[in-house]
Structure formats: C-alpha cells, structure tokens
Amino acid sequence: MEFKIEIADICALIKVDDADFAQCLIADHYSNFLSDKEPSLWVRMDVRPVEEASLLDGTLKIIETSVIGEVLYFRGFDGDVEGKINLISGEAEGVTVRVSYRFDAFLRILYSLWLVKSGGFLLHSAGSKDEKEAYVFFGVSGSGKTTVTKLSDDKVILSDELVAVRAVNGRYQAHGTPFMGEFARGGQNCSGDLKRIFLLKKDKKNFLLPIRGAQRLKELFHCVQFFGENTHLLGDLLAICNDISEKVDFYELHFLPDKSFWNCIRNHGGI
C-alpha cells in the first residue's frame, strides 16, 4: 500500500508492504497529514512481526547512524528499525517492526535531515498558534512542553513534542507535526509566523527574560533533533540556527502550571 504525507510542506510518498499496518498508521497518526502533492521524498518500508516484549520502549536515544558517500545508514532499538536515506535523491528504504512508534522514529530521522536541506529543523518543543502568530516553547524533557500544550486548549495545537521550524521567503514559520509526546495526540497540519520563541523554565511566578547573543544559539541547538551529525548537513543546520537567532526574539518563559502564563505573554505584546 502507498500513501503520501506532508510535514512542513515537504511531501513523502510512502510504500509499505503491510496494508493493514499502513491503514493503522494513517488512522492513529497521520490522517491530518495526508497529501496529494508531488513528493520530494520516496520511501519503501518492509514490515516484520514483533518478537520481543522489550519493544515497548519508545525512546529515541539509541539510534546509530553512519555515512557512506551521500547515503546515511541508520539502525535503532537493536534493529527494530533500520535502513538508509540518500541525501541527494530523497530515496529511502528500510525495515521496521510492526509497531507504530518504530515507524514514527524512522520519519523523525528522515524529516530531521530533509528539513535542514529545506532551510529548517525539528525542534523539541510545544507549539500552538492563533490568528496572529505561532508560539513555540522549547526545552529538554521535563521542562513543561506537555503542560503548556494542555493549557493552550483555546489555540490550534502544532505539537507537544516536535515542531518543524522552516524559513519561508526569509521569515520563519512554525509547522505542526504528527509527532506526539505525553499529550498523546499529534498536532494539526498548519503553520504560523514565528515572531518569538520561548525557553521553558518552571518557576513560582510568571515572567519573561530576554535571551541575548550567543546564548540563543546555544540553547536552541541543544534542543534540535538531528540525526545527520556525520554529514555535510551539520554546517547547514548551524547556519540556519544562527540565522533564526538573529531574526526571531528569544525569551526565557518562567511560568506557573496554569493558564496565567498566557497573560504574561499577552502583556508583553502580540496576543
């Protein structure tokens, strides 16, 4: 079975040799991201049965990569998902166990690379938008991304796990992704202008502190999800991060775990 999905205006044609599994992937994760556009990525995935109970581990901390020429090879979770991606042609192939978040891990690897080729990146962050702009709240695990998402129910949710950030005509936009964290629901396939970006800091009161200079780049790069450290794309990613750190305002958002932090953002201008 084949289907096309689109994340941050990048379309991938995906061929899966297990039609039932493909239907489950669409129903559970990717229905909001189906596309009829011409693809720039071509994926072929073979599916094999689950054999070990340990496959319930859903982390992404054990992905290994290597590069030969323009091809990136990846292997994760003791071989639960593995394959290769041609960094020039956009052709990819691999094998995954019949577990949705293993296939999801493959997509994260793929889009972490191709977004950089397209002037963007995947950021560990929560995101939401209204009619004026998009709001991106980034930070390490436990910083409050899912909390902020749950407290943003009056806005369109982009993600509580990974937001795609991409430059369009020299201006940055935040895009929704199907990648989910504890919120257990993927974002919407939409985007908004990114004028401000917030580093999450749990605190006993709400306030904003500007992040200036090289600290912006340091904090941002630490939260980018990227699997091409051994490729020429690393330099491109650093250039993109440096560019956004000069064009978008950065703040530390110290916040209480209730909706009052939105008043802090509103009073600072924008909403």
Side-chain angles (χ1 to χ4, degrees):
M1 177 181 175
E2 67 179 46
F3 58 98
K4 290 190 284 188
I5 65 170
E6 180 184 343
I7 301 172
D9 297 324
I10 300 171
C11 180
L13 173 64
I14 299 168
K15 296 183 179 181
V16 181
D17 69 348
D18 183 330
D20 290 340
F21 181 55
Q23 291 286 5
C24 289
L25 290 173
I26 293 170
D28 295 342
H29 296 277
Y30 308 120
S31 59
N32 290 337
F33 292 83
L34 295 178
S35 176
D36 58 3
K37 289 187 177 180
E38 286 296 314
S40 53
L41 298 167
W42 294 265
V43 176
R44 188 180 79 245
M45 292 295 288
D46 295 332
V47 182
R48 62 179 176 81
V50 178
E51 297 175 355
E52 299 290 341
S54 62
L55 295 172
L56 296 178
D57 176 17
T59 66
L60 264 177
K61 60 186 179 183
I62 45 176
I63 299 291
E64 300 173 346
T65 63
S66 61
V67 179
I68 300 177
E70 296 295 339
V71 178
L72 180 139
Y73 294 82
F74 62 90
R75 186 177 188 274
F77 315 103
D78 295 323
D80 291 357
V81 60
E82 57 186 326
K84 61 182 180 179
I85 301 167
N86 188 304
L87 299 175
I88 300 298
S89 69
E91 296 174 289
E93 60 183 72
V95 179
T96 179
V97 293
R98 204 177 194 274
V99 176
S100 61
Y101 52 74
R102 292 305 193 238
F103 177 82
D104 198 69
F106 162 73
L107 280 187
R108 295 180 187 213
I109 296 168
L110 179 65
Y111 273 90
S112 84
L113 300 168
W114 225 257
L115 272 163
V116 173
K117 287 178 65 71
S118 305
F121 50 84
L122 281 177
L123 184 64
H124 280 291
S125 58
S128 59
K129 70 176 290 288
D130 57 23
E131 68 279 1
K132 293 183 179 180
E133 62 180 290
Y135 307 91
V136 170
F137 306 90
F138 72 107
V140 297
S141 179
S143 61
K145 296 186 291 295
T146 298
T147 299
V148 165
T149 301
K150 292 177 178 178
L151 296 171
S152 305
D153 53 1
D154 60 336
K155 295 176 174 58
V156 178
I157 300 301
L158 302 178
S159 179
D160 78 320
E161 173 75 0
L162 285 170
V163 172
V165 176
R166 187 178 177 189
V168 178
N169 297 323
R171 300 175 62 182
Y172 283 91
Q173 293 187 331
H175 295 254
T177 75
F179 307 127
M180 63 184 74
E182 295 177 15
F183 192 55
R185 188 167 74 239
Q188 297 298 308
N189 190 6
C190 59
S191 62
D193 290 336
L194 185 58
K195 302 175 183 178
R196 297 174 290 174
I197 186 168
F198 304 93
L199 175 63
L200 291 174
K201 299 285 185 179
K202 294 178 180 178
D203 212 325
K204 296 181 179 180
K205 61 179 180 179
N206 298 313
F207 62 96
L208 291 171
L209 286 178
I211 303 174
R212 306 188 189 280
Q215 190 67 19
R216 292 183 174 189
L217 181 60
K218 177 183 176 181
E219 298 287 1
L220 180 69
F221 194 78
H222 182 63
C223 290
V224 171
Q225 183 166 85
F226 181 61
F227 293 93
E229 294 88 350
N230 299 321
T231 74
H232 65 275
L233 295 176
L234 178 59
D236 296 339
L237 174 60
L238 285 168
I240 295 166
C241 289
N242 186 66
D243 185 61
I244 192 174
S245 69
E246 295 176 350
K247 293 180 178 178
V248 175
D249 292 332
F250 280 62
Y251 298 92
E252 285 186 1
L253 173 61
H254 295 250
F255 73 103
L256 291 164
D258 59 42
K259 290 188 176 183
S260 62
F261 76 86
W262 279 112
N263 293 328
C264 183
I265 294 174
R266 182 182 298 111
N267 293 337
H268 198 267
I271 300 182

